[in-house]
Amino acid sequence: MRTVLNILWLVFGGLVSALMWWLAGALMAVSIIGLPWARACFVIGKFSLWPFGRDAVSRNLVTGQEDIGTGTLGLLGNIIWFAVAGVWLAIAHLTAALACFVSIIGIPFGLQYWKLAMLAIAPIGKTIIPVR
């Protein structure tokens, strides 16, 4: 079932979502300062192509220890990210989620857009894991 939903997702919005994330990553990669955010954008862009069956969680939950992205510098990076690009990506994903929630068939897709919107708010320090 996940495969079918992922294929439908890809055709009906996942590709546009991934392109939006990759565009944000390319804009961040223009400067050396933006490279940490660019990497996060490219990872999330890949995640947004095939979101069913995967989830974004904090890296310290997976590894059991704090690192540079899950500590104070990660928090500072997420605040800067939110002010520069995160708010716009989150609004775009929330708008798409609301459009999907209009129909019963669109609810699973709206939930994926919701997941991406929450990830757009604070992507630094997150990793993508499979969901069982």
Side-chain angles (χ1 to χ4, degrees), residues 39 57-75 124-127:
R39 183 183 178 281
V57 296
S58 180
R59 262 197 318 268
N60 62 0
L61 293 176
V62 176
T63 63
Q65 58 188 6
E66 243 182 57
D67 60 18
I68 195 166
T70 59
T72 306
L73 287 176
L75 175 65
I124 304 297
K126 301 282 198 255
T127 189

Side-chain angles (χ1 to χ4, degrees), residues 12-123:
F12 293 112
L15 183 61
V16 172
S17 176
L19 291 173
M20 190 169 58
W21 277 100
W22 291 333
L23 174 64
L27 292 174
M28 293 290 173
V30 169
S31 70
I32 293 173
I33 296 170
L35 286 177
W37 295 285
R39 183 183 178 281
C41 287
F42 291 127
V43 168
I44 296 168
K46 182 180 172 189
F47 169 62
S48 69
L49 279 177
W50 209 257
F52 289 94
R54 298 189 306 163
D55 201 8
V57 296
S58 180
R59 262 197 318 268
N60 62 0
L61 293 176
V62 176
T63 63
Q65 58 188 6
E66 243 182 57
D67 60 18
I68 195 166
T70 59
T72 306
L73 287 176
L75 175 65
L76 180 63
N78 279 327
I79 291 170
I80 293 168
W81 163 261
F82 181 75
V84 174
V87 66
W88 303 112
L89 287 166
I91 288 170
H93 285 304
L94 287 174
T95 303
L98 289 175
C100 289
F101 285 138
V102 170
S103 71
I104 292 174
I105 295 171
I107 291 174
F109 302 105
L111 292 174
Q112 297 308 312
Y113 276 120
W114 178 263
K115 186 169 36 173
L116 287 168
M118 295 303 104
L119 188 56
I121 292 172

